[in-house]
Amino acid sequence: MSAQIIDGKQVSTEVRERVADEVAEFIAGGGHQPVLATVLVGDDPASHVYVANKLKACKAAGIGSVHHELPAETNQRDLITLVRALGDDDGIDGILVQLPPPDHIDADAVIAAINPAKDVDGLTATNAGLLAGGRPGLVPCTPAGVIELLDHAGTELEGAEAVIVGRSNLVGRPLISLLLGRNATVTAAHSRTRDLPAVCQRADVLVAAVGVPGLLGAEHVKPGATVIDVGINRTDDGLKGDVDFDQVVEVAGAITPVPGGVGPMTIAMLMANTLEAARARSLAKVWG
Ligand code: GUN
């Protein structure tokens, strides 16, 4: 039997509408309009599309935005100076530096310059450490979106076997903590894992986040498992996920498509994080 298709477009629309309502309530209750600052360095066409979509989503949610577009030859010191200034600017609640930056810029050094209270990507050492310690903080958008999709699909996480393939700072590592926080039994698989099909076969929840088109096939999936495909790979045949959808849809209980699965969730969760950062900054002003 064919799996339930988890519709990321629908879930992301629901999250964005919820955030828009909450932004309006926050402002009506005396809060300030949340503001996101985006920083884009260079000419990567995909990055330009992503940032344009983020700015559009801000507008629709009633969130203000300030966009900084810098030439590809911008040096690291100037970029860090800008990121620090945004961190000190009381009119800014969230800072998003679009990744990856051009090759001559060290992304880690730029991330380290982001004020953790405004780190709506959840990438600073402060927020990554809070998440790893099971404490509240700003959570990276894509893994937060994965959890929303699992909840929407009604997938039981308590006690479930969850296997994450991929260990990136943006997705795999934060997901380990998020799923542990929901009391799943978590396995982190990666490029050196021996017998990947056997490890994946254990999963009630299988998440693919490696960036290798079609890596996971039917032989990796336990019948009835929920399969979340975070991969967005540009191939000659168009956008492909890390999961061979046509094979796996016949085995899984539920599956996200690519495109239209995890992708739309990232922006929705960015809106949610920007509101969360604005609320927390507003409370910090009251209580110190
Ligand atoms: N590039 C690809 N995904 C992301 C993301 O989630 N945040 C940022 N800042 N850049 C990205």
Side-chain angles (χ1 to χ4, degrees):
M1 208 184 70
S2 212
Q4 171 202 348
I5 309 297
I6 304 172
D7 184 348
K9 269 197 214 154
Q10 185 207 326
V11 182
S12 73
T13 301
E14 286 170 17
V15 170
R16 285 165 60 165
E17 286 173 356
R18 189 180 76 212
V19 172
D21 289 347
E22 290 182 14
V23 166
E25 266 170 44
F26 177 63
I27 294 170
H32 63 282
Q33 185 191 31
V35 176
L36 174 69
T38 52
V39 180
L40 175 56
V41 186
D43 319 309
D44 179 59
S47 290
H48 276 261
V49 172
Y50 289 140
V51 171
N53 286 337
K54 288 167 186 177
L55 294 171
K56 236 190 273 173
C58 282
K59 196 156 188 212
I63 291 173
S65 59
V66 179
H67 179 52
H68 292 265
E69 206 160 302
L70 306 177
E73 57 278 9
T74 300
N75 71 43
Q76 183 169 311
R77 204 181 44 213
D78 290 348
L79 176 57
I80 286 176
T81 300
L82 170 63
V83 169
R84 289 213 179 108
L86 293 169
D88 291 338
D89 183 342
D90 195 40
I92 300 291
D93 294 293
I95 301 170
L96 180 131
V97 181
Q98 186 64 27
L99 302 174
D103 287 347
H104 65 281
I105 291 176
D106 174 6
D108 287 340
V110 177
I111 289 166
I114 297 174
N115 178 342
K118 303 184 181 186
D119 170 27
V120 286
D121 255 333
L123 293 178
T124 56
T126 300
N127 282 310
L130 289 169
L131 180 58
R135 291 155 62 198
L138 288 164
V139 173
C141 303
T142 301
V146 169
I147 300 291
E148 280 285 332
L149 290 175
L150 288 168
D151 285 342
H152 175 86
T155 303
E156 173 81 44
L157 296 178
E158 179 99 12
E161 289 277 353
V163 175
I164 303 161
V165 187
R167 52 180 161 175
S168 69
N169 288 342
L170 216 50
V171 183
R173 282 176 205 267
L175 251 187
I176 295 171
S177 300
L178 288 172
L179 287 167
L180 267 182
R182 296 291 295 270
N183 299 317
T185 301
V186 183
T187 301
H190 45 77
S191 53
R192 315 281 169 83
T193 296
R194 288 189 208 123
D195 202 350
L196 186 64
V199 172
C200 292
Q201 273 277 349
R202 293 208 301 261
D204 303 309
V205 177
L206 179 59
V207 182
V210 271
V212 179
L215 177 72
L216 303 186
E219 73 279 17
H220 295 86
V221 179
K222 175 159 93 176
T226 299
V227 179
I228 306 288
D229 189 351
V230 184
I232 299 181
N233 306 292
R234 282 162 219 285
T235 73
D236 293 342
D237 297 330
L239 276 192
K240 295 276 172 212
D242 293 345
V243 175
D244 185 326
F245 184 89
D246 293 343
Q247 279 187 27
V248 172
V249 74
E250 299 301 332
V251 184
I255 184 169
T256 57
V258 177
V262 174
M265 294 305 296
T266 301
I267 292 184
M269 303 318 289
L270 176 67
M271 298 302 107
N273 276 356
T274 305
L275 172 59
E276 189 182 328
R279 278 189 177 133
R281 285 194 347 103
S282 156
L283 281 178
K285 276 183 211 160
V286 174
W287 299 106

